[in-house]
C-alpha cells in the first residue's frame, strides 16, 4: 500500500473501534518486528492511547508526555526542549511504515496527526474486527454510539471527515452529537472577564509613527495574553463589546484604546480602558518615551509590559472593577471566576477563617470546569497554605502537600504557559524540599511573564530563601513597589530579607507594616526580630500569641524554619533570634537533628 493509500484509508473510515479493539490493535503493533522504534517510543504510543481511551485526551500535552513517559523533571519546557516533538515525528513515521508493511490488513488504523499528540482511530471499510463480524444489524446507529467516544475525547475536528462519509440519513444524529460535544467543550472553561484590544490610533500619520503604533498594539496584546485570569480578544469592534448580562451583575466587557503621538523625539502613548456597553472610562494613563536613547523594540516592550501589568494582573484595574461588580450578586455562570476573586481576597491578609471557604469554592470550580487551569493552580496554593500557614492545625501536612503537588501538576498539564500554574508548582516543590526543581519552574514562569508581580514576588522569595538573598530580595522589593494590591505577604518577606542582612530595625519595620496578625508565620518573623533587638516584653506578647493560637509551630520550630530557609547557616541565624526571644529550642530541632531537615 502506498502512502496515498494510507491517507485514503484515513478518510474513507467511518465506524470507530471500541476501546477493546483499540487495545488489541496497540498490542498488535507493539509486538510486530516491523514496528521498529526504541522502547520509549513504544511507551509514548501506549501512554497517548491509554489516556485517550480513558477519556483524558485533553491531558495529552508535551509536558505530560515528557514528565510521565520520558521522566523529565518538573521544570521541563517544551519550547526549549524538542524531545517530545522529535519522538512524535519518529513515532508517526514508524506507524506509517507499519501500516505499509505488516499492518496492511489490520482492521484498525491508529494515527497521530501533526500539530498535536492525540491519537485518532479508524475502522477500515471492508475489514471487520472480530467483534463486528459476530454482530449483525448494527448499521449506522453503531457508528453513532462509537462516535460519542471520539467526540468527547478529541473534540470536533475529527468529526468533519466522518460527517462527509455518513450521508444524509445520519446527519441529524451527528448534528445532535456535535452540539452536545460543543456544549461539553465550552463547559470545561468558565466565563472570564473579556478585554478587546482595539487597533491603536496613529495621530502623527508618518511611516515611522505607523510602524511604532502597530508594533505597540501587537506588543500590548502579547503581554496581556500572558495573564490567564482574563480573556483577550482583538479586532472585534464596538459590536462585539456587549456585556454578558449587565442586569445580573455580570462583569462588563472592556475595550483597551490607545493613541500614539510623536513630536520630534518625544513619544506619548495615551491609554484608556473603556467599559461597555456603558462607554464609561474605567482607567486612563499616559506613557512618555524618548525615542533618541532607546531602540524602538525596547521602547515598545517596556510600555506594553507596564500597561499589561497595570490592567490584567491580580489586583490590577480589571480585577478591582470586576470585584466591585460581583460584590453583591454572582450569576451562576460567573461563580468559578468569583472563586478566583475570593482567593485573592483571602491572599490579602491570609486569614485562616477565610481559607476553608476559598478552598471549597475552588474545589467546586474545578469540578464544574475541569479545564480551568487557574482554578487548579489557586487550589494547589490553598493546599500549600495548610502546611506553611497552619490553616488546618488538625489536618495532615503530608496529605496537604501531596494534594498541592497533584493539583499544581494538573494545572500545568492543562496550560503549560499559565504562570499561576507554574507558580503553584514552584511553591509546592519548594515545600517538598525539591528546591532546585522549584527554582527551575519559577525561572520558567518568570521568563514567560516578568510583568506579573505576584509571580515575581513569590519567585523572588523562593530565590532568597534558597540562599540567593541578593537577587531574590531585589525581586521582592520591586514587587512591593509595583504590586497594585495588598502587599503584606511580600512586606513580611522583606522583613526576612532584612533580618538575614542583620538589619533588625528595618526587619521590625517591614514585619509590622505587613500586619498579617491572623497568620502565625508573621508572629514568628516578628518574634525572632524582637529577640535580636532585645525587646523582651514585646517578644513575650508574640510568644504568648503563638502558644495560644498555634502551639504546634513553636513545638516544631526547627522543622518549620527548615521548610522555609534552605541554608544551614541561615537557619541557625534565624533560630538564634528566636532563642534570644525566649523560645526553647531542643537538641532534636537543631540543624543536626531530624526535625530541621526539609520535607522530602
Amino acid at each position: 500500500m502506498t502512502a496515498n493509500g494510507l491517507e485514503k484509508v484515513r478518510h474513507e473510515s467511518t465506524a470507530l473501534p471500541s476501546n477493546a479493539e483499540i487495545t488489541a490493535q496497540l498490542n498488535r503493533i507493539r509486538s510486530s518486528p516491523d514496528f521498529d522504534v526504541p522502547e520509549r517510543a513504544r511507551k509514548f504510543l501506549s501512554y497517548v492511547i491509554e489516556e485517550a481511551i480513558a477519556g483524558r485526551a485533553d491531558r495529552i500535552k508535551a509536558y505530560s508526555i515528557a514528565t510521565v513517559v520520558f521522566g523529565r523533571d518538573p521544570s521541563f519546557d517544551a519550547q526549549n526542549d524538542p524531545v517530545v516533538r522529535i519522538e512524535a515525528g519518529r513515532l508517526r513515521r514508524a506507524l506509517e511504515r507499519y501500516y505499509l508493511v505488516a499492518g496492511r490488513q489490520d482492521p484498525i488504523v491508529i494515527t497521530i496527526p501533526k500539530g498535536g499528540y492525540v491519537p485518532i482511530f479508524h475502522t477500515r471499510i471492508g475489514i471487520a474486527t472480530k467483534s463486528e463480524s459476530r454482530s449483525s444489524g448494527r448499521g449506522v446507529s453503531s457508528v453513532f454510539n462509537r462516535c460519542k467516544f471520539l467526540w468527547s475525547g478529541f473534540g470536533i475536528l475529527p468529526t468533519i471527515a466522518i460527517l462527509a462519509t455518513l450521508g444524509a440519513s445520519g446527519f441529524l444524529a451527528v448534528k445532535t452529537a456535535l452540539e452536545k460535544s460543543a456544549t461539553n467543550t465550552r463547559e470545561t472553561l468558565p466565563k472570564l472577564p473579556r478585554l478587546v484590544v482595539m487597533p491603536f490610533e496613529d495621530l502623527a500619520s508618518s511611516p515611522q509613527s505607523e510602524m511604532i503604533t502597530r508594533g505597540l498594539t501587537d506588543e500590548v496584546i502579547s503581554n496581556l495574553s500572558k495573564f490567564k485570569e482574563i480573556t483577550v480578544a482583538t479586532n472585534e469592534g464596538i459590536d462585539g463589546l456587549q456585556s454578558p448580562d449587565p442586569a445580573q451583575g455580570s462583569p462588563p466587557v472592556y475595550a483597551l484604546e490607545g493613541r500614539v503621538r510623536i513630536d520630534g523625539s518625544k513619544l506619548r502613548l495615551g491609554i484608556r480602558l473603556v467599559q461597555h456597553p456603558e462607554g464609561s472610562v474605567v482607567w486612563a494613563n499616559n506613557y512618555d518615551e524618548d525615542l533618541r536613547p532607546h531602540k524602538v523594540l525596547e521602547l515598545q516592550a517596556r510600555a506594553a509590559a507596564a500597561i499589561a501589568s497595570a490592567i490584567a494582573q491580580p489586583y490590577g484595574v480589571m480585577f478591582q472593577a470586576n470585584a466591585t461588580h460581583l460584590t453583591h450578586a454572582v450569576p451562576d455562570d460567573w461563580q468559578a471566576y468569583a472563586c478566583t476573586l475570593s482567593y485573592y481576597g483571602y491572599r490579602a491578609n491570609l486569614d485562616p477563617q477565610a481559607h476553608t471557604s476559598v478552598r471549597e469554592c475552588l474545589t467546586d470550580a474545578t469540578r464544574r470546569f475541569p479545564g480551568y487551569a487557574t482554578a487548579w493552580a489557586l487550589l494547589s496554593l490553598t493546599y500549600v497554605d495548610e502546611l506553611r500557614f497552619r490553616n488546618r492545625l488538625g489536618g495532615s501536612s503530608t496529605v496537604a502537600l501531596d494534594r498541592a503537588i497533584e493539583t499544581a501538576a494538573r494545572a500545568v498539564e492543562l496550560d503549560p504557559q499559565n504562570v499561576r500554574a507554574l507558580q503553584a508548582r514552584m511553591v509546592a516543590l519548594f515545600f517538598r524540599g525539591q528546591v532546585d526543581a522549584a527554582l527551575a519552574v519559577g525561572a520558567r514562569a518568570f521568563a514567560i511573564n516578568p510583568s506579573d508581580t505576584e509571580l515575581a514576588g513569590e519567585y523572588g522569595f523562593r530565590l532568597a530563601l534558597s540562599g540567593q538573598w541578593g537577587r531574590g530580595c531585589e525581586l521582592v522589593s520591586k514587587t512591593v513597589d509595583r504590586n497594585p494590591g495588598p502587599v503584606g505577604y511580600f512586606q513580611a518577606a522583606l522583613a526576612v530579607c532584612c533580618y538575614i542582612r542583620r538589619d533588625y530595625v528595618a526587619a521590625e519595620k517591614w514585619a509590622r507594616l505587613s500586619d498579617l496578625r491572623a497568620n502565625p508565620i508573621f508572629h514568628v518573623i516578628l518574634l525572632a526580630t524582637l529577640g535580636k533587638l532585645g525587646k523582651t516584653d514585646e517578644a513575650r506578647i508574640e510568644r504568648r500569641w503563638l502558644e495560644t493560637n498555634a502551639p504546634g509551630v513553636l513545638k516544631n520550630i526547627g522543622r518549620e524554619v527548615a521548610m522555609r530557609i534552605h541554608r544551614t547557616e541561615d537557619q541557625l541565624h534565624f533560630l538564634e533570634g528566636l532563642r534570644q526571644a525566649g523560645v526553647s529550642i531542643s537538641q532534636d530541632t537543631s540543624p543536626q537533628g531530624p526535625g530541621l531537615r526539609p520535607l522530602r
Side-chain angles (χ1 to χ4, degrees):
M1 182 182 291
T2 64
N4 288 337
L6 182 58
E7 290 300 317
K8 186 177 181 181
V9 166
R10 291 174 181 163
H11 289 87
E12 288 182 351
S13 304
T14 56
L16 297 176
S18 68
N19 292 1
E21 291 162 353
I22 293 168
T23 301
Q25 180 65 25
L26 171 61
N27 293 335
R28 188 180 296 116
I29 294 171
R30 284 177 53 90
S31 62
S32 172
D34 292 301
F35 184 60
D36 186 18
V37 293
E39 182 57 28
R40 74 175 184 174
R42 295 172 184 272
K43 291 180 179 178
F44 188 155
L45 180 63
S46 298
Y47 172 76
V48 297
I49 289 176
E50 289 165 2
E51 288 292 285
I53 64 178
R56 297 190 293 267
D58 60 319
R59 300 192 186 188
I60 302 176
K61 305 276 178 63
Y63 180 84
S64 61
I65 294 167
T67 54
V68 175
V69 180
F70 300 157
R72 293 300 175 94
D73 62 48
S75 63
F76 173 80
D77 183 357
Q79 291 186 334
N80 297 321
D81 189 338
V83 62
V84 179
R85 294 194 299 275
I86 292 171
E87 206 62 54
R90 175 185 291 175
L91 185 54
R92 292 186 187 103
R93 292 190 294 272
L95 283 171
E96 289 184 357
R97 182 181 184 279
Y98 168 81
Y99 280 109
L100 288 170
V101 182
R104 287 174 298 181
Q105 298 301 313
D106 286 1
I108 310 298
V109 177
I110 300 175
T111 60
I112 302 177
K114 291 183 179 179
Y117 309 108
V118 175
I120 301 299
F121 313 117
H122 294 301
T123 299
R124 277 177 168 149
I125 294 176
I127 304 178
T129 62
K130 291 182 180 180
S131 60
E132 288 172 330
S133 66
R134 290 194 296 266
S135 304
S136 61
R138 298 170 72 180
V140 177
S141 64
S142 175
V143 177
F144 295 145
N145 289 335
R146 290 179 179 178
C147 283
K148 183 178 180 182
F149 160 69
L150 182 66
W151 290 325
S152 64
F154 303 119
I156 295 173
L157 286 177
T159 66
I160 296 173
I162 296 171
L163 271 174
T165 60
L166 286 177
S169 63
F171 180 76
L172 290 178
V174 172
K175 182 175 182 291
T176 301
L178 280 172
E179 289 171 350
K180 183 177 180 181
S181 171
T183 300
N184 290 340
T185 299
R186 287 193 298 269
E187 287 177 352
T188 63
L189 293 174
K191 288 189 176 181
L192 297 176
R194 199 148 163 261
L195 174 63
V196 179
V197 181
M198 309 300 289
F200 289 1
E201 185 179 356
D202 173 18
L203 299 181
S205 299
S206 69
Q208 181 193 29
S209 63
E210 181 183 358
M211 177 194 70
I212 292 175
T213 301
R214 191 167 57 247
L216 275 169
T217 304
D218 292 342
E219 195 72 26
V220 168
I221 292 169
S222 175
N223 277 263
L224 285 169
S225 65
K226 296 173 182 177
F227 291 95
K228 300 305 177 76
E229 283 87 354
I230 65 172
T231 298
V232 179
T234 61
N235 299 327
E236 295 195 16
I238 298 300
D239 291 341
L241 293 171
Q242 298 302 312
S243 176
D245 192 353
Q248 297 297 321
S250 299
V253 177
Y254 300 90
L256 185 67
E257 302 173 353
R259 293 175 174 82
V260 176
R261 297 179 177 86
I262 295 180
D263 183 8
S265 63
K266 303 297 183 183
L267 179 146
R268 165 163 286 192
L269 171 60
I271 289 288
R272 65 180 186 177
L273 188 68
V274 180
Q275 176 182 318
H276 286 273
E278 293 88 345
S280 57
V281 176
V282 177
W283 171 84
N285 203 357
N286 291 322
Y287 296 88
D288 295 316
E289 296 285 353
D290 188 342
L291 294 172
R292 287 176 300 184
H294 301 293
K295 295 180 180 178
V296 171
L297 290 178
E298 293 175 355
L299 178 154
Q300 291 171 337
R302 185 168 58 251
I307 293 165
S309 181
I311 292 173
Q313 70 172 318
Y315 309 112
V317 176
M318 286 188 66
F319 170 93
Q320 295 173 25
N322 290 324
T324 300
H325 276 279
L326 295 174
T327 298
H328 302 296
V330 182
D332 185 64
D333 52 356
W334 286 94
Q335 289 285 349
Y337 174 66
C339 286
T340 67
L341 294 181
S342 68
Y343 169 82
Y344 290 114
Y346 148 76
R347 181 77 165 69
N349 56 19
L350 299 174
D351 185 351
Q353 300 301 318
H355 173 269
T356 300
S357 61
V358 170
R359 189 191 68 242
E360 291 173 352
C361 188
L362 289 167
T363 300
D364 182 65
T366 58
R367 289 196 193 104
R368 294 185 60 197
F369 302 99
Y372 189 17
T374 299
W376 285 102
L378 300 182
L379 179 59
S380 174
L381 290 170
T382 65
Y383 285 134
V384 171
D385 286 358
E386 292 182 18
L387 171 66
R388 63 172 165 175
F389 299 140
R390 299 302 178 195
N391 285 333
R392 294 179 67 196
L393 297 179
S396 168
S397 59
T398 301
V399 171
L401 188 55
D402 287 344
R403 288 175 177 169
I405 292 286
E406 179 183 346
T407 48
R410 176 69 174 133
V412 175
E413 204 174 276
L414 286 167
D415 187 354
Q417 298 298 306
N418 187 314
V419 298
R420 207 66 62 229
L422 294 168
Q423 177 182 333
R425 182 74 169 155
M426 171 188 68
V427 176
L429 288 171
F430 189 93
F431 276 89
R432 178 167 274 182
Q434 297 174 251
V435 175
D436 291 340
L439 296 182
V441 173
R444 176 182 162 198
F446 187 66
I448 291 172
N449 193 2
S451 301
D452 189 320
T453 56
E454 280 290 304
L455 177 277
E458 188 68 87
Y459 174 51
F461 199 22
R462 297 307 121 197
L463 283 171
L465 293 171
S466 72
Q468 300 180 51
W469 293 98
R471 183 186 174 206
C473 293
E474 181 181 1
L475 280 176
V476 174
S477 179
K478 289 180 178 178
T479 295
V480 170
D481 292 337
R482 295 169 49 211
N483 194 306
V487 291
Y489 173 77
F490 297 115
Q491 289 172 327
L494 280 182
V496 177
C497 289
C498 294
Y499 181 99
I500 293 297
R501 290 201 301 265
R502 290 175 165 75
D503 186 349
Y504 305 118
V505 173
E508 183 186 9
K509 182 195 76 170
W510 286 116
R512 294 196 183 281
L513 278 174
S514 68
D515 197 27
L516 302 174
R517 297 192 179 277
N519 186 275
I521 303 306
F522 158 83
H523 293 274
V524 171
I525 295 169
L526 183 55
L527 179 59
T529 304
L530 294 172
K532 280 294 182 182
L533 291 171
K535 297 184 176 182
T536 55
D537 291 340
E538 295 174 60
R540 189 179 301 111
I541 295 172
E542 298 303 321
R543 194 170 69 248
R544 286 174 179 170
W545 188 97
L546 286 164
E547 290 168 348
T548 302
N549 297 280
V553 171
L554 288 184
K555 183 179 179 181
N556 301 291
I557 191 61
R559 188 167 181 266
E560 295 289 342
V561 170
M563 278 196 298
R564 294 161 175 81
I565 301 177
H566 186 56
R567 296 193 308 183
T568 301
E569 58 267 39
D570 296 330
Q571 295 170 5
L572 286 170
H573 180 197
F574 197 86
L575 288 172
E576 185 179 59
L578 292 171
R579 186 180 288 108
Q580 291 171 346
V583 177
S584 176
I585 301 175
S586 59
Q587 182 61 35
D588 63 349
T589 58
S590 67
Q592 292 74 32
L596 196 56
R597 294 174 185 166
L599 292 176
R600 297 288 178 184

